[in-house]
Amino acid sequence: MVEKELKFYYAALLLGIIGALCILVFMVGHSMTTMMVMGFGMFLIMLGVLSLLYGIYADYKRTGSLRETFGVTDELIEAIGTIAKLTLIVIVAAAALAVTYEATQEQLKITSAGVESEIFSRVVSGATSFKAVMDESEEAIYYEAYDDAGNLVGYAFYSEIMGCQDVIKIAGGIDLDYRVTGVTIVRHLETPGLGAKIAEPEFQEQFRGVTIEELRLTKDDGKIDAITGATISSQAVVDAMRNKIEEIQRD
Amino acid sequence: MEERRSLSSELVRGIIKDNPVFCLVLGICPTLAVTTSFENGLGMGLAFTFVMLGSNLFISLLRKQIPSIVRLPIFIVVIGTFVTIVDMVIEAYLPPLYEALGIFVPLIVVNCIVIGRAEAYANRNPVLPSIADALGISVGFILVLTLIGGIRELLGTGKITFVMLWLLENGQLGFLELATLHIPIEPATVMILPPGAFFTIGALMFFFNFVGKKIREKRGRGD
């Protein structure tokens, strides 16, 4: 036999569901009829709430304690406490991260801007300020390099190409006659001791003053000596430079 | 019994008896991956120290509040927060180190040393011993990382470069190479490559355990 209070709970549930369905009808189509149906639905929900309240009241009268009426056990309290603590810790952690993020964002901008002009001033000697030349999609193709007096002295650029292991990112500079003024490796993952020598001055110095015609490896009648045992890496740097300079020439 | 140990013995224990890499054999992944140079090892070790201290401190402070049923999620959240803070700070202030350490800073989150100490020590001990424990373990870890990094760099490139930091100078950043130790050795590239890490760790682990065993035998009984 179903307990008396339970009947009220079931009634409340049923009334609530029917009421919600009636309101849903109004959501689908707005008209006089559906509005009346919604009104009826609201009435049913109110009945349901009353039935629920009465159920709780009957429950309370039978057990005589509010805790038991709502089925609050020690385990439930403990579980709620656990959830609350976990939530609290996560909120504190999120706040700490937000603060750190805000604090480092500014420095990150300074650092990356500093890194950029530091890199570019190494590849275009004498240049102190750089102005990005954008393409249609607002991405920098290359940078115009100006000296202290504000004269255009050359162009600086980034170029990326697939190396032996991963993408190599280089920064290069050319003067107004498209002669290479310098090259430096921004990022690479070449084999240490072999391909990684592209990052060393001995290799990079060869590029200085080279024209676009001479910008090939020696085996292709160019002026750049490949690193022993690292032809692919050497070729990649040369190609990255050539591609970008040709792109700037066309522009 | 744990409670009565002195703080200094906690410190030393982390370096020698519970050395994370050679004795507990934990945290091998970053040990193998980032020890290509002395500097990288040191940088990784310092980042690790910050996380280790923060996590041990907080978990030890909260140890009576942490419900045991969700202690692991809480450890992970605490550790993850510190790791992310370190990650963001390194990215903003030390870009070369950030490039060199790459994915291995975020991976401190799942470093078994940190969570191991949180579970085995900080969760059961007061704040001060927990900090001593964190310091000991961190110093042990730094020693191992710099030792392996130093050996690999020396044998792999023939020199050890120290302190190549980005320094802030009048708002401009500049490279400064403070010291370079050069020893005439024919560099063996393999030492910088992943196999070199295994060779070095294996040899050092053998050496330290061998010495440790000899010392214990001399004392008469296993300690």
PDB file of all heavy atoms in Angstrom, chain A residues 81-100:
ATOM      1  N   GLY A  81      29.002  19.057   1.796  1.00  0.00           N
ATOM      2  CA  GLY A  81      30.216  19.708   2.279  1.00  0.00           C
ATOM      3  C   GLY A  81      31.380  19.454   1.341  1.00  0.00           C
ATOM      4  O   GLY A  81      32.136  20.370   1.004  1.00  0.00           O
ATOM      5  N   THR A  82      31.526  18.203   0.880  1.00  0.00           N
ATOM      6  CA  THR A  82      32.612  17.850  -0.035  1.00  0.00           C
ATOM      7  C   THR A  82      32.510  18.649  -1.316  1.00  0.00           C
ATOM      8  O   THR A  82      33.499  19.239  -1.784  1.00  0.00           O
ATOM      9  CB  THR A  82      32.524  16.345  -0.361  1.00  0.00           C
ATOM     10  OG1 THR A  82      32.571  15.629   0.858  1.00  0.00           O
ATOM     11  CG2 THR A  82      33.660  15.932  -1.252  1.00  0.00           C
ATOM     12  N   ILE A  83      31.281  18.688  -1.874  1.00  0.00           N
ATOM     13  CA  ILE A  83      31.092  19.426  -3.127  1.00  0.00           C
ATOM     14  C   ILE A  83      31.414  20.899  -2.905  1.00  0.00           C
ATOM     15  O   ILE A  83      32.093  21.529  -3.726  1.00  0.00           O
ATOM     16  CB  ILE A  83      29.639  19.259  -3.630  1.00  0.00           C
ATOM     17  CG1 ILE A  83      29.411  17.802  -4.020  1.00  0.00           C
ATOM     18  CG2 ILE A  83      29.360  20.177  -4.805  1.00  0.00           C
ATOM     19  CD1 ILE A  83      27.968  17.463  -4.278  1.00  0.00           C
ATOM     20  N   ALA A  84      30.953  21.429  -1.764  1.00  0.00           N
ATOM     21  CA  ALA A  84      31.199  22.847  -1.491  1.00  0.00           C
ATOM     22  C   ALA A  84      32.693  23.128  -1.393  1.00  0.00           C
ATOM     23  O   ALA A  84      33.191  24.104  -1.969  1.00  0.00           O
ATOM     24  CB  ALA A  84      30.499  23.256  -0.197  1.00  0.00           C
ATOM     25  N   LYS A  85      33.429  22.250  -0.689  1.00  0.00           N
ATOM     26  CA  LYS A  85      34.873  22.475  -0.536  1.00  0.00           C
ATOM     27  C   LYS A  85      35.584  22.418  -1.881  1.00  0.00           C
ATOM     28  O   LYS A  85      36.419  23.265  -2.198  1.00  0.00           O
ATOM     29  CB  LYS A  85      35.469  21.419   0.399  1.00  0.00           C
ATOM     30  CG  LYS A  85      35.219  21.720   1.862  1.00  0.00           C
ATOM     31  CD  LYS A  85      35.660  20.549   2.701  1.00  0.00           C
ATOM     32  CE  LYS A  85      35.285  20.743   4.151  1.00  0.00           C
ATOM     33  NZ  LYS A  85      35.453  19.487   4.910  1.00  0.00           N
ATOM     34  N   LEU A  86      35.223  21.396  -2.657  1.00  0.00           N
ATOM     35  CA  LEU A  86      35.850  21.244  -3.973  1.00  0.00           C
ATOM     36  C   LEU A  86      35.568  22.474  -4.824  1.00  0.00           C
ATOM     37  O   LEU A  86      36.462  23.034  -5.465  1.00  0.00           O
ATOM     38  CB  LEU A  86      35.312  19.983  -4.648  1.00  0.00           C
ATOM     39  CG  LEU A  86      36.074  19.466  -5.860  1.00  0.00           C
ATOM     40  CD1 LEU A  86      37.534  19.258  -5.534  1.00  0.00           C
ATOM     41  CD2 LEU A  86      35.470  18.163  -6.344  1.00  0.00           C
ATOM     42  N   THR A  87      34.289  22.918  -4.793  1.00  0.00           N
ATOM     43  CA  THR A  87      33.913  24.095  -5.581  1.00  0.00           C
ATOM     44  C   THR A  87      34.704  25.313  -5.129  1.00  0.00           C
ATOM     45  O   THR A  87      35.220  26.068  -5.950  1.00  0.00           O
ATOM     46  CB  THR A  87      32.412  24.378  -5.423  1.00  0.00           C
ATOM     47  OG1 THR A  87      31.711  23.139  -5.569  1.00  0.00           O
ATOM     48  CG2 THR A  87      31.928  25.367  -6.455  1.00  0.00           C
ATOM     49  N   LEU A  88      34.817  25.468  -3.811  1.00  0.00           N
ATOM     50  CA  LEU A  88      35.519  26.616  -3.261  1.00  0.00           C
ATOM     51  C   LEU A  88      36.973  26.633  -3.733  1.00  0.00           C
ATOM     52  O   LEU A  88      37.494  27.662  -4.184  1.00  0.00           O
ATOM     53  CB  LEU A  88      35.454  26.561  -1.731  1.00  0.00           C
ATOM     54  CG  LEU A  88      35.738  27.879  -1.031  1.00  0.00           C
ATOM     55  CD1 LEU A  88      34.602  28.855  -1.277  1.00  0.00           C
ATOM     56  CD2 LEU A  88      35.926  27.646   0.460  1.00  0.00           C
ATOM     57  N   ILE A  89      37.613  25.463  -3.643  1.00  0.00           N
ATOM     58  CA  ILE A  89      39.020  25.383  -4.044  1.00  0.00           C
ATOM     59  C   ILE A  89      39.175  25.712  -5.520  1.00  0.00           C
ATOM     60  O   ILE A  89      40.075  26.450  -5.927  1.00  0.00           O
ATOM     61  CB  ILE A  89      39.587  23.987  -3.710  1.00  0.00           C
ATOM     62  CG1 ILE A  89      39.796  23.895  -2.202  1.00  0.00           C
ATOM     63  CG2 ILE A  89      40.882  23.726  -4.453  1.00  0.00           C
ATOM     64  CD1 ILE A  89      40.370  22.613  -1.727  1.00  0.00           C
ATOM     65  N   VAL A  90      38.250  25.191  -6.329  1.00  0.00           N
ATOM     66  CA  VAL A  90      38.331  25.461  -7.768  1.00  0.00           C
ATOM     67  C   VAL A  90      38.140  26.949  -8.038  1.00  0.00           C
ATOM     68  O   VAL A  90      38.833  27.542  -8.873  1.00  0.00           O
ATOM     69  CB  VAL A  90      37.294  24.617  -8.531  1.00  0.00           C
ATOM     70  CG1 VAL A  90      37.238  25.038  -9.981  1.00  0.00           C
ATOM     71  CG2 VAL A  90      37.656  23.149  -8.435  1.00  0.00           C
ATOM     72  N   ILE A  91      37.204  27.584  -7.299  1.00  0.00           N
ATOM     73  CA  ILE A  91      36.969  29.017  -7.502  1.00  0.00           C
ATOM     74  C   ILE A  91      38.216  29.813  -7.138  1.00  0.00           C
ATOM     75  O   ILE A  91      38.646  30.702  -7.869  1.00  0.00           O
ATOM     76  CB  ILE A  91      35.752  29.491  -6.669  1.00  0.00           C
ATOM     77  CG1 ILE A  91      34.465  28.923  -7.276  1.00  0.00           C
ATOM     78  CG2 ILE A  91      35.687  31.011  -6.626  1.00  0.00           C
ATOM     79  CD1 ILE A  91      33.240  29.159  -6.428  1.00  0.00           C
ATOM     80  N   VAL A  92      38.827  29.456  -5.984  1.00  0.00           N
ATOM     81  CA  VAL A  92      40.047  30.162  -5.569  1.00  0.00           C
ATOM     82  C   VAL A  92      41.140  29.977  -6.615  1.00  0.00           C
ATOM     83  O   VAL A  92      41.831  30.932  -7.006  1.00  0.00           O
ATOM     84  CB  VAL A  92      40.524  29.649  -4.189  1.00  0.00           C
ATOM     85  CG1 VAL A  92      41.897  30.205  -3.857  1.00  0.00           C
ATOM     86  CG2 VAL A  92      39.519  30.039  -3.119  1.00  0.00           C
ATOM     87  N   ALA A  93      41.276  28.731  -7.108  1.00  0.00           N
ATOM     88  CA  ALA A  93      42.304  28.455  -8.111  1.00  0.00           C
ATOM     89  C   ALA A  93      42.051  29.284  -9.366  1.00  0.00           C
ATOM     90  O   ALA A  93      42.976  29.887  -9.928  1.00  0.00           O
ATOM     91  CB  ALA A  93      42.311  26.966  -8.451  1.00  0.00           C
ATOM     92  N   ALA A  94      40.789  29.336  -9.800  1.00  0.00           N
ATOM     93  CA  ALA A  94      40.455  30.095 -11.003  1.00  0.00           C
ATOM     94  C   ALA A  94      40.775  31.571 -10.806  1.00  0.00           C
ATOM     95  O   ALA A  94      41.319  32.235 -11.702  1.00  0.00           O
ATOM     96  CB  ALA A  94      38.982  29.913 -11.353  1.00  0.00           C
ATOM     97  N   ALA A  95      40.464  32.089  -9.607  1.00  0.00           N
ATOM     98  CA  ALA A  95      40.752  33.493  -9.329  1.00  0.00           C
ATOM     99  C   ALA A  95      42.252  33.750  -9.383  1.00  0.00           C
ATOM    100  O   ALA A  95      42.711  34.727  -9.989  1.00  0.00           O
ATOM    101  CB  ALA A  95      40.199  33.883  -7.960  1.00  0.00           C
ATOM    102  N   ALA A  96      43.035  32.839  -8.773  1.00  0.00           N
ATOM    103  CA  ALA A  96      44.493  33.005  -8.779  1.00  0.00           C
ATOM    104  C   ALA A  96      45.015  33.022 -10.211  1.00  0.00           C
ATOM    105  O   ALA A  96      45.869  33.845 -10.568  1.00  0.00           O
ATOM    106  CB  ALA A  96      45.149  31.877  -7.989  1.00  0.00           C
ATOM    107  N   LEU A  97      44.479  32.131 -11.048  1.00  0.00           N
ATOM    108  CA  LEU A  97      44.935  32.073 -12.435  1.00  0.00           C
ATOM    109  C   LEU A  97      44.554  33.336 -13.185  1.00  0.00           C
ATOM    110  O   LEU A  97      45.341  33.862 -13.976  1.00  0.00           O
ATOM    111  CB  LEU A  97      44.346  30.848 -13.137  1.00  0.00           C
ATOM    112  CG  LEU A  97      44.925  29.518 -12.691  1.00  0.00           C
ATOM    113  CD1 LEU A  97      44.342  28.390 -13.510  1.00  0.00           C
ATOM    114  CD2 LEU A  97      46.431  29.537 -12.822  1.00  0.00           C
ATOM    115  N   ALA A  98      43.336  33.830 -12.926  1.00  0.00           N
ATOM    116  CA  ALA A  98      42.891  35.039 -13.623  1.00  0.00           C
ATOM    117  C   ALA A  98      43.815  36.202 -13.286  1.00  0.00           C
ATOM    118  O   ALA A  98      44.236  36.958 -14.168  1.00  0.00           O
ATOM    119  CB  ALA A  98      41.454  35.367 -13.233  1.00  0.00           C
ATOM    120  N   VAL A  99      44.164  36.321 -11.992  1.00  0.00           N
ATOM    121  CA  VAL A  99      45.045  37.408 -11.565  1.00  0.00           C
ATOM    122  C   VAL A  99      46.409  37.282 -12.250  1.00  0.00           C
ATOM    123  O   VAL A  99      46.943  38.250 -12.807  1.00  0.00           O
ATOM    124  CB  VAL A  99      45.200  37.396 -10.028  1.00  0.00           C
ATOM    125  CG1 VAL A  99      46.315  38.340  -9.605  1.00  0.00           C
ATOM    126  CG2 VAL A  99      43.886  37.788  -9.376  1.00  0.00           C
ATOM    127  N   THR A 100      46.976  36.057 -12.240  1.00  0.00           N
ATOM    128  CA  THR A 100      48.283  35.858 -12.869  1.00  0.00           C
ATOM    129  C   THR A 100      48.221  36.164 -14.358  1.00  0.00           C
ATOM    130  O   THR A 100      49.124  36.786 -14.921  1.00  0.00           O
ATOM    131  CB  THR A 100      48.761  34.409 -12.693  1.00  0.00           C
ATOM    132  OG1 THR A 100      48.379  33.961 -11.413  1.00  0.00           O
ATOM    133  CG2 THR A 100      50.242  34.305 -12.862  1.00  0.00           C
TER     134      THR A 100
END
